[in-house]
Amino acid sequence: MSTQTEQVKKRRRFPLPSFGVQVLLGLVLGLALGVVAIQIGPVGDGEPNWLATTLETIGGTFVTLLRTIVPPLIVLAVISSIANLRNVTNAARLAWKTLLWFAITALVSVAIAITLGLVVRPGLNSAVDDSNLAEPGSQGSWLAFIESLVPANFLGLAAETNADDLSTSLSFNALQLIVIAVVLGIAAVKVGKPAEPFINFTESTLQVVLKALWWVIRLAPIGTVGLLGNAVYSYGWTTIGALGKYTITIYIGLALVLFVVYPIVALVNGLSPAKYFSGVWPAVQLGFVSRSSMGTMPVTQQVTEQNLGVPRYYSAFAVPFGATTKMDGCAAIYPAISAIFVAQFFGIELAFTDYLLIVFVSVIGSAATAGTTGATVMLTLTLSTVGLPLEGVGLLLAVDPILDMGRTATNVAGQALVPAVVAKREGILDLVRYNARRGSTGFVPLDEPGTLSAEAEERDPEAERATAGSSAKS
C-alpha cells in the first residue's frame, strides 16, 4: 500500500501540462524548429533539409490520420443521428434554423470585410509584382453544388491522376458522403423493425470510431510541431512582402469575427463567451495549424458535443454540413476583401450593385463551392460574378498559406458556434456540460453529469435521455 501511495505522490509531483498547454508548447516548438530549418537551408538542388523533411512527415501524417477517420465518422454519425431523429418532432426546424444562422453570421462577416476593404484600401499603392499573371486553373461554379450532391459512387470517392508521374490519388467528397448517409439513415427508419440490427450496429461502430478518434486527438501536440514547423519553413513570414497591408487587413477581419462577432452571438443567445472559447479552443488551435476544416472536423464535432453540450443526434448533421458550407473565413472575409483589393489594384470602380453581388456570393456561394472546397475557388467565383479579372488571383497566392491559417481557425469556430446557438434556442443544449470545467485534456470529462433543460425533457424525454445516455457511454 505504501508503495502505491508513493507512486501516486510521485505522479502528482510531476504532472503533465493540460492538453491546451501541450498544444501551445507544440506551437512554440514548431515555430522554433521551423526557424532552425530555415537557418540550415536547403541541400543539394534546393531539396529540403532533414529537419524540414521530418517536420513535413510528422505534420502530414497527423493530418492524414484525421482525414482517414472523417469518412466513417460522417457516415456513422449521420445515420445514427437520423435514427435518433425519428422520435424528435423538431428535426426540420433544427435544419432550417442551422442554415439561417449560417447565413446570419456570413452576412455580418462580409459586411465587416467590405467595410475594412473600403476603409483600409489594401489594393492601392501596392508594390506586388503583376508580371506573368495567369488565370487560375480551377474556378468556382454555381452548378458545382448541384453536381456535387449526386454521388459518383457508393463510397463518395473521387480519383485524380497526375500525368507527370502517372500517380493516382483518391479522396472522399464529404458532401456526397453526407447525402449517402442521409439516404441510408432515412431508409433504415422507413424499414422499421427489421432495420434495428443495422441501426444498433451503426451506433456500436460509432462508439468504436469515437474511441479511435480520441487517440488521434491526443497526438495533436506532436502534429502541431510538424504542421507549424513545416509551414514556417515552406512559406516563412518574408512572403508577406508587398502584400503586408492586404494580409493585415484580412487578419483584422478574421479577428473581428472570431473575437467580437462570435462572442456577441453567444452572449445574445444567453451563452457565456468565455465558456464558448474554452470549449472550442482545441479545435481552433488544430484548425490554425492544419489549415483544413475537414481535417479538423472530428475534433470540431468532439468539442461541439463534449464541451458545448450539443446533442449528438443534432451535431452529427450540423458539424459535417458546416465543415463543407460554413466558412466565414474562406467564404466571407477572404473573398470580399480580396475582390476589393483586385478592383483597387486594377483601378476598377465598384458600383453599389457590385458590393451587393459580393454579399450575395459570400452568403450563398459557399454552398455552391462545397463540392470543390477551397478559398481560391471561392475567390474565383466572387471575381467572376462581379466581373473582375481572374488574373488577380495570381497576385495573392504568395500569402495564401499564411492567410489560410487564420481563415480555417475562424471557420472551425463558427462551425461549432452555430450548433450550440441553435441547440440553446431549441432548448436541447446541455447547459451543465456547456458551463462545466474543462479537464486537463481540454475537454469536459465524459462522466461529467449533464442535465438537459426542462424544456427539452418536456419536448422529447425518450429521445433526449437516450442521446444523453449514449454520450455518457462514449
Side-chain angles (χ1 to χ4, degrees):
M1 178 67 71
S2 60
T3 303
Q4 292 179 349
T5 303
E6 290 175 0
Q7 291 177 347
V8 171
K9 288 182 178 179
K10 190 174 182 180
R11 286 198 298 268
R12 289 178 178 174
R13 190 177 303 169
F14 302 102
L16 288 174
S18 67
F19 181 78
V21 173
Q22 291 178 34
V23 174
L24 288 176
L25 291 176
L27 287 169
V28 174
L29 182 59
L31 179 63
L33 291 178
V35 172
V36 172
I38 291 176
Q39 296 301 317
I40 295 176
V43 295
D45 297 329
E47 294 294 322
N49 57 62
W50 66 269
L51 179 56
T53 302
T54 302
L55 292 171
E56 181 182 10
T57 302
I58 293 174
T61 301
F62 177 65
V63 173
T64 299
L65 286 173
L66 281 172
R67 287 178 173 168
T68 299
I69 212 164
V70 165
L73 179 63
I74 289 178
V75 174
L76 295 170
V78 171
I79 293 175
S80 180
S81 70
I82 291 177
N84 287 325
L85 282 172
R86 65 179 182 253
N87 297 319
V88 179
T89 57
N90 62 338
R93 188 165 66 247
L94 286 174
W96 80 259
K97 282 195 173 182
T98 301
L99 295 174
L100 176 63
W101 278 98
F102 281 0
I104 290 174
T105 53
L107 182 62
V108 175
S109 299
V110 72
I112 291 174
I114 291 176
T115 302
L116 284 173
L118 294 176
V119 172
V120 180
R121 303 173 72 82
L124 295 183
N125 302 319
S126 175
V128 64
D129 184 13
D130 61 349
S131 61
N132 299 320
L133 292 181
E135 292 190 10
S138 59
Q139 300 180 20
S141 168
W142 287 100
L143 296 177
F145 178 60
I146 298 175
E147 293 174 351
S148 63
L149 286 175
V150 181
N153 50 70
F154 180 74
L155 297 176
L157 275 172
E160 182 178 348
T161 301
N162 189 334
D164 295 333
D165 55 6
L166 297 179
S167 62
T168 301
S169 59
L170 298 176
S171 61
F172 287 94
N173 186 305
L175 200 59
Q176 290 182 7
L177 283 177
I178 294 174
V179 172
I180 293 170
V182 167
V183 171
L184 291 177
I186 294 175
V189 171
K190 292 297 183 181
V191 168
K193 189 173 181 180
E196 286 299 327
F198 171 74
I199 294 175
N200 292 334
F201 170 78
T202 299
E203 292 179 347
S204 300
T205 309
L206 177 60
Q207 302 305 318
V208 176
V209 170
L210 289 174
K211 176 59 71 174
L213 166 63
W214 178 244
W215 293 340
V216 175
I217 292 175
R218 293 296 294 157
L219 298 175
I222 300 175
T224 298
V225 174
L227 288 166
L228 188 60
N230 179 57
V232 171
Y233 174 80
S234 300
Y235 309 107
W237 302 106
T238 58
T239 55
I240 295 178
L243 290 171
K245 189 176 180 182
Y246 163 77
T247 303
I248 293 173
T249 305
I250 293 286
Y251 265 93
I252 291 175
L254 296 173
L256 288 174
V257 172
L258 181 59
F259 297 111
V260 178
V261 175
Y262 288 168
I264 291 177
V265 170
L267 194 62
V268 167
N269 288 278
L271 297 173
S272 165
K275 289 295 183 182
Y276 161 69
F277 274 119
S278 65
V280 80
W281 200 246
V284 172
Q285 287 177 318
L286 182 58
F288 182 82
V289 296
S290 71
R291 297 168 46 207
S292 171
S293 290
M294 288 308 305
T296 311
M297 195 208 75
V299 182
T300 308
Q301 187 154 345
Q302 192 87 350
V303 300
T304 303
E305 296 174 6
Q306 197 167 323
N307 285 355
L308 302 184
V310 178
R312 178 172 298 161
Y313 67 80
Y314 168 50
S315 69
F317 154 76
V319 174
F321 188 65
T324 59
T325 60
K326 173 59 181 169
M327 300 178 286
D328 289 339
C330 290
I333 293 293
Y334 172 71
I337 293 178
S338 299
I340 294 175
F341 172 91
V342 171
Q344 293 172 350
F345 182 85
F346 287 103
I348 300 173
E349 286 290 335
L350 294 179
F352 179 74
T353 54
D354 294 322
Y355 292 111
L356 290 181
L357 284 174
I358 293 175
V359 172
F360 176 79
V361 175
S362 298
V363 175
I364 307 298
S366 57
T369 59
T372 53
T373 313
T376 301
V377 175
M378 186 64 201
L379 177 56
T380 63
L381 180 66
T382 305
L383 296 181
S384 60
T385 302
V386 180
L388 294 171
L390 292 178
E391 293 84 355
V393 177
L395 295 168
L396 312 175
L397 291 180
V399 294
D400 189 72
I402 296 173
L403 300 180
D404 203 20
M405 295 179 177
R407 290 191 312 237
T408 307
T410 305
N411 294 342
V412 166
Q415 291 157 14
L417 173 65
V418 169
V421 168
V422 173
K424 173 61 167 59
R425 296 177 71 88
E426 289 297 298
I428 60 174
L429 187 70
D430 188 339
L431 289 173
V432 171
R433 180 166 287 278
Y434 181 94
N435 294 305
R437 182 182 62 84
R438 317 309 182 197
S440 60
T441 62
F443 294 83
V444 176
L446 286 170
D447 56 357
E448 182 81 17
T451 303
L452 292 163
S453 66
E455 182 182 359
E457 292 284 359
E458 183 179 351
R459 284 181 178 180
D460 215 325
E462 292 185 4
E464 297 295 346
R465 288 173 185 144
T467 303
S470 174
S471 298
K473 291 177 183 177
S474 66

mmCIF file of all heavy atoms in Angstrom, residues 62 131 139 223 364 372 408 465:
data_model
loop_
_atom_site.group_PDB
_atom_site.id
_atom_site.type_symbol
_atom_site.label_atom_id
_atom_site.label_comp_id
_atom_site.label_asym_id
_atom_site.label_seq_id
_atom_site.Cartn_x
_atom_site.Cartn_y
_atom_site.Cartn_z
ATOM 1 N N PHE A 62 -0.069 13.308 -39.274
ATOM 2 C CA PHE A 62 -1.149 13.624 -38.336
ATOM 3 C C PHE A 62 -2.424 14.033 -39.077
ATOM 4 O O PHE A 62 -3.525 13.560 -38.756
ATOM 5 C CB PHE A 62 -0.708 14.748 -37.400
ATOM 6 C CG PHE A 62 -1.781 15.187 -36.442
ATOM 7 C CD1 PHE A 62 -2.256 14.327 -35.466
ATOM 8 C CD2 PHE A 62 -2.327 16.460 -36.527
ATOM 9 C CE1 PHE A 62 -3.257 14.718 -34.588
ATOM 10 C CE2 PHE A 62 -3.321 16.859 -35.658
ATOM 11 C CZ PHE A 62 -3.779 15.984 -34.685
ATOM 12 N N SER A 131 3.582 40.886 -63.045
ATOM 13 C CA SER A 131 4.050 40.274 -64.291
ATOM 14 C C SER A 131 3.715 38.794 -64.324
ATOM 15 O O SER A 131 3.609 38.134 -63.288
ATOM 16 C CB SER A 131 5.572 40.443 -64.421
ATOM 17 O OG SER A 131 6.231 39.802 -63.351
ATOM 18 N N GLN A 139 -11.833 26.987 -61.032
ATOM 19 C CA GLN A 139 -12.721 28.111 -60.791
ATOM 20 C C GLN A 139 -14.012 27.643 -60.143
ATOM 21 O O GLN A 139 -14.410 26.491 -60.298
ATOM 22 C CB GLN A 139 -13.045 28.830 -62.108
ATOM 23 C CG GLN A 139 -11.825 29.389 -62.824
ATOM 24 C CD GLN A 139 -12.192 30.078 -64.110
ATOM 25 O OE1 GLN A 139 -13.332 30.464 -64.326
ATOM 26 N NE2 GLN A 139 -11.214 30.238 -64.985
ATOM 27 N N GLY A 223 1.523 16.618 -33.652
ATOM 28 C CA GLY A 223 1.180 17.047 -35.000
ATOM 29 C C GLY A 223 1.346 18.535 -35.195
ATOM 30 O O GLY A 223 1.747 18.993 -36.276
ATOM 31 N N ILE A 364 -24.356 32.978 -50.025
ATOM 32 C CA ILE A 364 -24.892 31.811 -50.719
ATOM 33 C C ILE A 364 -23.800 30.987 -51.398
ATOM 34 O O ILE A 364 -23.908 29.773 -51.519
ATOM 35 C CB ILE A 364 -25.917 32.245 -51.797
ATOM 36 C CG1 ILE A 364 -26.985 33.143 -51.175
ATOM 37 C CG2 ILE A 364 -26.563 31.035 -52.456
ATOM 38 C CD1 ILE A 364 -27.812 32.467 -50.105
ATOM 39 N N THR A 372 -16.101 21.541 -54.293
ATOM 40 C CA THR A 372 -14.709 21.844 -54.629
ATOM 41 C C THR A 372 -14.181 22.848 -53.624
ATOM 42 O O THR A 372 -13.755 23.931 -53.974
ATOM 43 C CB THR A 372 -14.602 22.426 -56.051
ATOM 44 O OG1 THR A 372 -15.513 23.538 -56.160
ATOM 45 C CG2 THR A 372 -14.969 21.395 -57.087
ATOM 46 N N THR A 408 -9.017 29.197 -41.569
ATOM 47 C CA THR A 408 -9.511 27.912 -41.097
ATOM 48 C C THR A 408 -9.884 27.969 -39.621
ATOM 49 O O THR A 408 -10.895 27.386 -39.203
ATOM 50 C CB THR A 408 -8.462 26.813 -41.326
ATOM 51 O OG1 THR A 408 -8.059 26.825 -42.695
ATOM 52 C CG2 THR A 408 -9.015 25.446 -40.986
ATOM 53 N N ARG A 465 -33.141 11.479 -23.397
ATOM 54 C CA ARG A 465 -32.466 10.641 -22.397
ATOM 55 C C ARG A 465 -31.621 9.574 -23.060
ATOM 56 O O ARG A 465 -30.536 9.234 -22.600
ATOM 57 C CB ARG A 465 -33.505 10.014 -21.472
ATOM 58 C CG ARG A 465 -34.127 11.039 -20.513
ATOM 59 C CD ARG A 465 -35.275 10.451 -19.729
ATOM 60 N NE ARG A 465 -35.923 11.468 -18.920
ATOM 61 C CZ ARG A 465 -37.228 11.506 -18.691
ATOM 62 N NH1 ARG A 465 -38.027 10.606 -19.232
ATOM 63 N NH2 ARG A 465 -37.743 12.454 -17.934
#
